[in-house]
Amino acid sequence: MSESRKNLFCYLMVSPALILVVLLGILPMLQSLVMAFQEYNLLTIRRVGTPFVGLDNFTTLFSEPLFLQTLVQTILFVVIVVGFVIILGLLASQVLNQNFLGRSAIRTLFLLPWFIPPVIAAGIWKWLLNTNLSPINAVLRDVGLIQTNIGFLTDTNTVGPFSLPMLVVSLVRTWNGLPFVTVMLLAGLQSIPSEVYEAAKIDGASAFRRFTDITLPLVRPIIIVVATLLSISGIGYFEVNYVMTGGGPRDLTNILGVYAYDQAFTFYRFDYAATASSVILILTSVIAFFYIRYMLKGD
């Protein structure tokens, strides 16, 4: 087969995927960007149409206290999830990389949360953490740790931007995403030759030094990859927060994905929804830029 025919065959093989990416990804994204510069309100569209308004939507959005609060909470959500997932993933992968009886069964059980769709997981945890019906509250009352039920998803007390409901939804997202990160880190650990650790032991390196001087540097590329992927998905995240709290109470768990959805399908302000989505696109593009720059450096 000639070189040109090989190239044509390759293009034909990837063309269905490319068409889907264009139709389901790029075109809606471009349409959303156009809407961010228009007045596109279903309540007024028949009267005024969709006139071009320049940066007015961005100006209005960034002057809204709720949007600014949502932006801060989104960053907080991403930081909590990425931090917890990487720390717990490192610990779990270290444990699962050891030889012990029943290791295969434990690894399989550990992967189960990965197979549960986020919407289903959020529904289960919403019931488990319900203020009045929570079996967790019942257990805590029975052992005498609490006298009144804890409002895991309804407590409105805050310390700065921190609130119990935000911490809870972040932990549920962590629980759902932890197996994927652990598998990635475990694959990285298994690629490290055991001779490296044996040599370090002979030199008298403690377990902590072996972790900081060998394990962390060698799995750092994987940590950066998962941190980038989790950050990008976290900025536009929607499922757990919407199902468990709908962004409440008092918008304490509202994040950009939920905010954009509410603007579009609750308030019919498609222009503001498109503008919020554009902010998500800008933030994720910045993260992707630094990641690509890091990869090109080959660091």
Side-chain angles (χ1 to χ4, degrees):
M1 184 181 291
S2 65
E3 190 66 26
S4 60
R5 285 195 172 187
K6 285 183 180 177
N7 291 335
L8 178 61
F9 178 75
C10 293
Y11 288 132
L12 287 175
M13 288 298 100
V14 300
S15 58
L18 288 176
I19 291 172
L20 285 177
V21 169
V22 171
L23 291 179
L24 303 179
I26 295 177
L27 286 181
M29 182 180 68
L30 293 176
Q31 185 180 13
S32 177
L33 280 174
V34 172
M35 289 171 63
F37 294 94
Q38 293 176 321
E39 181 181 341
Y40 205 113
N41 189 324
L42 282 189
L43 301 177
T44 62
I45 194 169
R46 287 188 177 179
R47 182 163 43 86
V48 299
T50 58
F52 179 76
V53 294
L55 294 173
D56 285 359
N57 289 332
F58 288 93
T59 305
T60 303
L61 205 63
F62 277 94
S63 65
E64 283 192 1
L66 176 58
F67 175 76
L68 296 178
Q69 175 188 335
T70 303
L71 186 60
V72 171
Q73 288 173 175
T74 303
I75 296 171
L76 181 66
F77 174 76
V78 171
V79 170
I80 293 175
V81 170
V82 172
F84 274 127
V85 165
I86 289 179
I87 292 172
L88 295 176
L90 278 170
L91 293 173
S93 59
Q94 287 284 336
V95 172
L96 295 176
N97 196 38
Q98 306 301 316
N99 287 318
F100 57 87
L101 184 63
R103 184 177 68 169
S104 298
I106 296 296
R107 283 182 176 181
T108 304
L109 290 174
F110 192 83
L111 289 176
L112 284 181
W114 193 10
F115 302 119
I116 302 176
V119 172
I120 304 297
I124 295 171
W125 279 105
K126 184 178 181 179
W127 169 72
L128 289 173
L129 298 170
N130 183 283
T131 303
N132 298 317
L133 304 175
S134 170
I136 297 175
N137 271 328
V139 171
L140 294 176
R141 278 200 318 273
D142 290 343
V143 299
L145 290 179
I146 61 172
Q147 300 299 320
T148 57
N149 290 345
I150 299 174
F152 293 103
L153 302 176
T154 57
D155 191 333
T156 56
N157 294 317
T158 60
V159 179
F162 294 93
S163 65
L164 179 59
M166 175 56 84
L167 179 61
V168 169
V169 295
S170 301
L171 289 176
V172 172
R173 168 60 183 144
T174 299
W175 171 82
N176 192 236
L178 182 60
F180 167 72
V181 176
T182 303
V183 168
M184 295 277 288
L185 292 171
L186 183 60
L189 289 178
Q190 292 181 336
S191 67
I192 302 174
S194 59
E195 292 81 3
V196 178
Y197 290 106
E198 294 299 328
K201 283 182 182 178
I202 293 172
D203 290 341
S206 64
F208 180 75
R209 287 296 302 272
R210 293 197 297 273
F211 177 75
T212 57
D213 294 350
I214 299 175
T215 303
L216 275 183
L218 293 179
V219 299
R220 187 178 62 174
I222 298 176
I223 293 176
I224 292 175
V225 169
V226 297
T228 303
L229 294 176
L230 287 172
S231 298
I232 289 174
S233 66
I235 288 174
Y237 197 70
F238 175 78
E239 295 95 331
V240 168
N241 292 56
Y242 186 77
V243 172
M244 293 189 70
T245 63
R250 297 183 183 176
D251 295 306
L252 291 175
T253 61
N254 211 354
I255 55 177
L256 287 176
V258 178
Y259 179 89
Y261 176 88
D262 282 339
Q263 293 299 316
F265 300 108
T266 302
F267 306 113
Y268 305 114
R269 298 162 62 183
F270 285 87
D271 43 6
Y272 289 168
T275 308
S277 299
S278 299
V279 173
I280 294 174
L281 176 64
I282 292 169
L283 293 176
T284 54
S285 298
V286 169
I287 296 173
F289 169 78
F290 283 106
Y291 173 69
I292 293 172
R293 187 178 176 186
Y294 168 81
M295 294 297 290
L296 291 177
K297 279 184 177 179
D299 192 359

